[in-house]
Amino acid sequence: MWINFFKLRLFCCLLAVLMVVVLVVNVTQVEYLDHETASATFIDSGGQFVSSQVIRISRNPYCGYERQILSSRERLEEDSLLAALQWQEPDVGPVPFLKSTDPSSSYFVILNSAAFFRVGSQLEVLVHVQDFQRKPKKYGGDYLQARIHSPKLQAGAVGRVVDYQNGFYKVFFTLLWPGQVKVSISLVHPSEGIRVLQYLQEKKPDRVYFKSLFRSGRISETTECNVCLPGSLPLCNFTDLYTGEPWFCFKPKKLPCSSRINHFKGGYLKGLLTATENAFFQSGVNIKMPINSSGPDWVTVIPRNIKETNSLELSQGLGTFPSGYYYKDQWRPRRFKMRQFNDPDNITECLQRKVVYFFGDSTIRQWFEYLTTFVPDLVEFNLGSPKNVGPFLAVDQKHNILLKYRCHGPPIRFTTVFSSDLRYVANELNGIVGGKNTVVAIAVWSHFSTFPLEVYIRRLRNIRRAVVQLLDRSPKTVVVIRTANVQELGPEISLFNSDWYNFQLDTILRKMFSGVGVYLVDAWEMTLAHYLPHKLHPDEVIVKNQVDMFLSFVCPLET
């Protein structure tokens, strides 16, 4: 009997020890997470918790995106988007600089040359690229930009480029105004540079890094943060509970994760390229350089009907590409009549009794700044927010107008954003009641250029879901999306914010919001078609046209 009693006591002791071990492990895990949400558990659009057991593996095994909750429809859409953006990479080995694309040796020819063209006609241009030894290239993959323009008329429009993968490209233009029209073709990056950009996108997404300050009492620590932080060091998990958007910081040595007080851009990694790769990114050599014509680079366009003195209206409704064109420095969309808001009183009348939300990066903040500068009755309310960061608020009490700007959640390369102001656009949209007096404008693109495309697709998927829900509950809400735009490029900027990266993001945005019931301001064409130098933050004349188009959606012409 005593032997059995001893065995029972031994078993109980072992069970107690095991329970203590399990308890210690669980407590340690809770402290490690610091009461933040676990990355494998999210809340779906219906407010239900979803277990990590249903999570599938993403195509790109990028940290933080290895475990995504995707329905079969979302998976199909993502696969379709990635397939559509597969750049035609030439099947060649390493290429020396002298055999790479030389814009000064390349040339273009107007194919269907004629004595004159009529408004609405198609113009075809053939581009033949050569290397620095003046030898024809046998493969494609270069990134070209094309436009037609008439400087005296302050007119311009973009063209569509087709790559035949053999060193020849064809560019298609629609002639949209009468007069002498000039063709301009530029090499943005040679195919050899595109291969480098692809490698950086897939293998070096952390080339822009971020930091956060943690503080408690007199103790403060700064650690690095990002969508992905490889390694085995302890992490603070700041994954958003509702959207599942991942964000991590290295855990401070002395402070808890809950002591984070801000977020800011840490900097840009240096020394990313070899000497051979650097040769493909040279200002004045192969970055945004013009390709000259081997013959005439202009055509004469006459009105469709010679008796017409103004044929601009005839170009309306000819198609969807290009989406519009400039004439006398005014943007003319081809699918509807855009209003000109040249008087502040016109804007006040349009926005009377409305609440306007601006969500996103600094390119949508330009709209807020333009309106508060141009309309004297809109008085900006000082919230004590950091300059160029926000949030910002402007009020016109007399006409009952309220404007709000808030930046999107990380990744965002602003100087300093307080942790309490790090909010995701989808979550903000879910808090808006909506209605006929509610306007929402969104621009989210520039800060995603260094990441794999799955990162951007996920962000837009969350925003789109929130937009659909907003329009479902309040169909009269006006939602406007601002697209990406072209910008100035140099050797360093090209590695982080190249037009090629942003062209991909712009394509994804257009496809994902097609048929959703939102309006689109085509900032890409509006910057590429204009005669002014490309800038991340376009000059005022371009911003005015963007805002006029935005307001035309809010207050359309009565027909």
Side-chain angles (χ1 to χ4, degrees):
M1 186 179 83
W2 290 105
I3 294 176
N4 291 335
F5 180 71
F6 176 77
K7 289 181 179 180
L8 181 61
R9 289 184 60 185
L10 180 62
F11 174 77
C12 292
C13 290
L14 290 173
L15 184 61
V17 170
L18 181 62
M19 292 178 64
V20 171
V21 170
V22 172
L23 181 62
V24 170
V25 170
N26 280 315
V27 170
T28 304
Q29 181 68 16
V30 170
E31 290 178 349
Y32 171 71
L33 290 175
D34 195 40
H35 304 291
E36 305 290 346
T37 177
S39 61
T41 304
F42 309 115
I43 296 179
D44 68 9
S45 59
Q48 301 296 319
F49 277 93
V50 182
S51 169
S52 61
Q53 294 177 353
V54 300
I55 297 174
R56 300 179 180 181
I57 302 299
S58 174
R59 287 184 58 176
N60 192 316
Y62 178 53
C63 179
Y65 281 76
E66 297 175 351
R67 303 168 66 81
Q68 287 200 61
I69 305 170
L70 295 180
S71 66
S72 57
R73 179 177 295 181
E74 290 171 340
R75 171 66 57 183
L76 183 63
E77 179 188 46
E78 183 171 293
D79 290 347
S80 175
L81 288 169
L82 296 176
L85 289 167
Q86 286 293 323
W87 197 257
Q88 295 293 328
E89 185 175 342
D91 187 18
V92 296
V95 178
F97 172 71
L98 290 178
K99 291 186 178 296
S100 66
T101 305
D102 176 16
S104 65
S105 298
S106 306
Y107 61 89
F108 72 84
V109 178
I110 296 176
L111 290 180
N112 52 340
S113 59
F116 57 84
F117 294 80
R118 293 191 183 275
V119 169
S121 299
Q122 294 294 307
L123 182 68
E124 296 182 13
V125 174
L126 184 69
V127 184
H128 190 194
V129 297
Q130 300 187 134
D131 63 24
F132 284 89
Q133 296 174 326
R134 294 190 174 275
K135 294 180 179 179
K137 294 191 69 177
K138 303 299 183 182
Y139 56 88
D142 303 296
Y143 178 39
L144 307 180
Q145 290 176 348
R147 72 184 183 105
I148 50 175
H149 56 107
S150 299
K152 291 183 179 180
L153 298 174
Q154 294 178 309
V158 303
R160 187 191 304 277
V161 180
V162 176
D163 184 353
Y164 287 97
Q165 297 300 309
N166 58 2
F168 288 92
Y169 301 79
K170 189 173 282 188
V171 186
F172 299 89
F173 297 99
T174 301
L175 300 170
L176 296 168
W177 62 89
Q180 190 178 91
V181 178
K182 181 180 172 64
V183 176
S184 292
I185 312 289
S186 297
L187 173 75
V188 182
H189 295 299
S191 58
E192 296 77 16
I194 296 295
R195 295 175 69 178
V196 176
L197 295 179
Q198 284 180 313
Y199 171 81
L200 293 176
Q201 187 180 49
E202 296 169 3
K203 304 298 183 182
K204 297 286 185 180
D206 59 346
R207 58 192 183 279
V208 177
Y209 58 95
F210 307 87
K211 292 187 176 182
S212 275
L213 175 65
F214 297 79
R215 179 184 295 158
S216 179
R218 296 183 178 180
I219 302 175
S220 63
E221 297 181 60
T222 299
T223 70
E224 187 175 336
C225 307
N226 217 316
V227 174
C228 174
L229 291 174
S232 58
L233 293 176
L235 300 176
C236 289
N237 184 353
F238 295 112
T239 297
D240 183 65
L241 182 64
Y242 292 95
T243 63
E245 293 284 357
W247 191 255
F248 303 91
C249 296
F250 286 121
K251 193 176 188 302
K253 295 179 180 179
K254 299 179 181 179
L255 296 174
C257 296
S258 57
S259 63
R260 182 179 65 153
I261 65 170
N262 67 22
H263 160 96
F264 57 95
K265 180 184 68 177
Y268 300 86
L269 293 181
K270 306 294 184 180
L272 291 169
L273 305 184
T274 65
T276 301
E277 293 169 336
N278 274 319
F280 302 135
F281 299 92
Q282 300 183 62
S283 295
V285 177
N286 50 17
I287 298 178
K288 281 204 173 181
M289 292 297 295
I291 293 176
N292 295 319
S293 172
S294 67
D297 62 354
W298 57 272
V299 296
T300 299
V301 183
I302 64 174
R304 178 173 293 183
N305 186 336
I306 298 177
K307 296 180 180 180
E308 295 277 346
T309 57
N310 185 346
S311 64
L312 295 182
E313 294 303 319
L314 294 176
S315 65
Q316 302 294 327
L318 292 177
T320 57
F321 185 88
S323 67
Y325 62 99
Y326 282 105
Y327 190 83
K328 295 182 179 179
D329 242 358
Q330 294 180 354
W331 183 250
R332 309 274 180 130
R334 298 177 67 199
R335 289 193 285 181
F336 75 101
K337 184 75 173 179
M338 189 176 94
R339 297 178 59 185
Q340 299 296 321
F341 292 82
N342 298 322
D343 192 315
D345 290 342
N346 299 144
I347 298 179
T348 299
E349 181 183 1
C350 173
L351 297 181
Q352 190 167 5
R353 296 185 298 277
K354 287 181 171 56
V355 179
V356 184
Y357 298 89
F358 297 97
F359 295 121
D361 54 38
S362 54
T363 61
I364 200 76
R365 190 186 70 223
Q366 275 193 291
W367 292 9
F368 177 92
E369 293 168 345
Y370 173 83
L371 288 170
T372 54
T373 301
F374 186 66
V375 183
D377 288 339
L378 278 171
V379 179
E380 189 169 349
F381 189 80
N382 186 3
L383 298 175
S385 303
K387 185 180 180 181
N388 297 332
V389 175
F392 299 125
L393 183 72
V395 179
D396 177 353
Q397 290 184 324
K398 180 180 178 181
H399 301 97
N400 198 16
I401 301 172
L402 177 62
L403 306 186
K404 296 182 177 182
Y405 165 78
R406 182 176 291 278
C407 66
H408 64 72
I412 190 160
R413 304 173 201 158
F414 285 178
T415 50
T416 301
V417 184
F418 295 121
S419 298
S420 58
D421 289 326
L422 287 173
R423 303 184 189 178
Y424 291 93
V425 174
N427 293 341
E428 294 297 299
L429 292 173
N430 288 333
I432 296 175
V433 175
K436 65 178 182 179
N437 290 323
T438 301
V439 181
V440 177
I442 303 170
V444 177
W445 60 277
S446 180
H447 300 260
F448 290 81
S449 57
T450 56
F451 294 97
L453 297 176
E454 289 88 344
V455 177
Y456 189 59
I457 292 172
R458 179 174 199 160
R459 181 61 56 90
L460 290 192
R461 188 186 296 123
N462 283 319
I463 294 174
R464 183 180 62 184
R465 182 185 298 117
V467 166
V468 170
Q469 292 172 347
L470 172 60
L471 294 177
D472 280 346
R473 64 178 177 267
S474 302
K476 293 185 178 180
T477 306
V478 175
V479 180
V480 180
I481 307 291
R482 182 201 188 277
T483 73
N485 61 258
V486 297
Q487 67 173 92
E488 71 279 14
L489 294 179
E492 185 174 20
I493 295 177
S494 295
L495 307 183
F496 302 96
N497 231 36
S498 167
D499 281 357
W500 182 75
Y501 289 139
N502 294 326
F503 172 74
Q504 293 179 307
L505 302 183
D506 187 67
T507 302
I508 290 172
L509 182 143
R510 292 169 190 267
K511 288 180 177 293
M512 291 189 67
F513 279 93
S514 175
V516 173
V518 301
Y519 299 100
L520 203 70
V521 172
D522 198 335
W524 187 270
E525 288 194 19
M526 295 173 82
T527 48
L528 182 55
H530 204 272
Y531 57 83
L532 285 174
H534 299 169
K535 293 181 180 180
L536 174 62
H537 301 109
D539 286 337
E540 183 176 318
V541 62
I542 299 176
V543 175
K544 179 194 182 303
N545 277 288
Q546 293 175 358
V547 173
D548 283 354
M549 189 170 182
F550 160 67
L551 293 173
S552 297
F553 292 134
V554 178
C555 305
L557 285 170
E558 295 183 4
T559 58

